[in-house]
């Protein structure tokens, strides 16, 4: 069991360990890849190293099929170093909030100034077919928790950087924007909860990202959030949700995600 009694010290320790193993003094950008995204990173930029997450302090192997479990060090054509985590810890795994945001805190402690958070999610907008990537404009955190403990009041205006959203739209001008609603999971929503999310102003429903974005803003990172809609949210399609459908939509979207990731790795 990992010791998160001082989660910031745990992140500094893991970052030192990681940079030693990678043989670089710091990283420039961090990326966290969610459902459907980890296969899209293959062949994007030069790969310098791959470390199984389970070998790094505070991380565990991924619990879900469709999620990867490595830390990749990539180098862009301009020579910048990107650390890609191909899996994440979800709140529903029961390891606590500190474990959920540990990867983001390690990325910050390793020197990054920018972070890309990706996920697979359910869509509330019928115009967004499965396989559509959507930029996060904002979020609603329905987990009833925070990664921050104590009187540390972090501003979340523009939690997802408008400048980074513009940069992403230069690669793909048709990218829509939406508000992401994080539920705790691991069950999907009921149709009534999906209607509630829409009434609250949500466009996307998922089980990750908001707690990581909060921890990232606390650490001073600029954040870009991108969701891949893999299914219509419950009650919006005639058939029940299935994890197989999620994996299929992810596979079909790989070419578009790959070119988006390639652009981001060069421009960030
Ligand atoms: I992929 O429809 C994926 N993850 N909460 N709802 C929630 N999480 C998801 C969904 C969904 N699809």
């Amino acid at each position: 069991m990992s010791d998160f009694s001082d989660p910031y010290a745990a992140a500094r320790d893991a970052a030192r360990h990681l940079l030693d193993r990678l043989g670089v003094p710091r990283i420039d950008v961090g990326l966290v890849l969610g459902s459907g995204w980890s296969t899209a990173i293959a062949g994007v930029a030069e790969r310098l190293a791959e470390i199984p997450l389970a070998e790094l302090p505070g991380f565990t192997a991924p619990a879900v099929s469709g999620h990867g479990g490595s830390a990749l060090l990539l180098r862009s054509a301009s020579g910048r170093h990107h650390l890609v985590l191909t899996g994440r810890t979800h709140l529903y795994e029961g390891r606590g909030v500190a474990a959920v945001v540990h990867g983001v805190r390690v990325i910050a402690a390793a020197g990054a100034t920018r972070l890309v958070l990706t996920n697979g999610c359910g869509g509330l907008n019928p115009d967004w077919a499965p396989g559509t990537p959507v930029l996060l404009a904002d979020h609603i955190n329905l987990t009833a928790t925070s990664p921050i403990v104590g009187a540390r009041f972090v501003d979340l205006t523009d939690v997802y950087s408008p400048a980074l959203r513009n940069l992403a739209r230069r690669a793909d001008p048709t990218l829509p924007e939406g508000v992401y609603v994080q539920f705790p999971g691991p069950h999907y929503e009921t149709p009534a909860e999906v209607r509630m999310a829409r009434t609250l102003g949500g466009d996307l429903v998922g089980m990750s990202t908001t707690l990581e974005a909060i921890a990232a803003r606390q650490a001073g990172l600029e954040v870009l959030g991108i969701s891949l809609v893999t299914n219509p949210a419950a009650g919006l399609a005639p058939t029940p949700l299935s994890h197989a459908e999620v994996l299929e939509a992810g596979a079909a979207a790989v070419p578009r995600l790959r070119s988006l990731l390639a652009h981001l790795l060069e421009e960030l």
Side-chain angles (χ1 to χ4, degrees):
M1 199 61 197
S2 306
D3 177 13
F4 289 113
S5 57
D6 180 344
Y8 307 99
R12 285 192 300 273
D13 176 56
R16 227 176 356 251
H17 184 103
L18 175 71
L19 294 173
D20 277 354
R21 266 192 76 170
L22 296 175
V24 292
R26 48 165 288 157
I27 57 165
D28 298 299
V29 177
L31 291 92
V32 179
L33 301 185
S35 299
W37 289 83
S38 40
T39 50
I41 199 72
V44 176
E46 179 190 2
R47 187 176 297 196
L48 300 183
E50 173 163 11
I51 303 174
L53 285 178
E55 293 178 14
L56 296 172
F59 291 89
T60 55
V64 191
S65 72
H67 294 161
S70 307
L72 308 176
L73 181 66
L74 305 183
R75 182 165 57 195
S76 68
S78 56
R80 293 153 59 70
H81 289 112
H82 303 284
L83 185 79
V84 180
L85 304 181
T86 67
R88 54 157 56 91
T89 294
H90 292 83
L91 192 62
Y92 58 69
E93 292 172 52
R95 298 180 59 223
V97 188
V100 169
V101 302
H102 181 59
V104 165
R105 286 183 172 146
V106 171
I107 284 167
T113 56
R114 292 175 157 188
L115 173 70
V116 182
L117 294 173
T118 68
N119 61 58
C121 71
L124 305 188
N125 182 335
D127 294 339
W128 302 340
T132 306
V134 179
L135 297 173
L136 302 201
D138 205 341
H139 76 218
I140 298 172
N141 169 14
L142 293 186
T143 67
T145 188
S146 170
I148 306 169
V149 177
R152 297 161 161 155
F153 305 110
V154 175
D155 177 58
L156 295 179
T157 315
D158 291 334
V159 51
Y160 303 98
S161 161
L164 296 188
R165 273 139 63 192
N166 284 335
L167 186 146
R169 273 191 295 259
R170 286 205 289 278
D172 191 339
T174 66
L175 282 174
E177 284 196 346
V179 173
Y180 179 90
V181 184
Q182 182 177 356
F183 284 84
H187 53 275
Y188 294 118
E189 299 70 37
T190 63
E193 288 163 344
V194 169
R195 290 193 296 275
M196 175 190 77
R198 190 153 50 187
T199 300
L200 294 178
D203 301 296
L204 305 158
V205 288
M207 305 178 194
S208 69
T209 304
T210 77
L211 299 169
E212 292 152 271
I214 293 166
R217 294 303 295 143
Q218 180 193 24
L221 295 169
E222 260 190 295
V223 182
L224 177 65
I226 319 176
S227 285
L228 173 67
V229 174
T230 62
N231 57 275
L236 301 181
T239 50
L241 304 196
S242 78
H243 189 58
E245 167 188 44
V246 166
L247 297 177
E248 271 167 42
V254 161
R256 188 175 183 190
L257 302 185
R258 179 168 293 151
S259 83
L260 180 57
L261 288 171
H263 172 88
L264 293 173
L265 290 178
E266 285 313 321
E267 299 301 323
L268 281 173

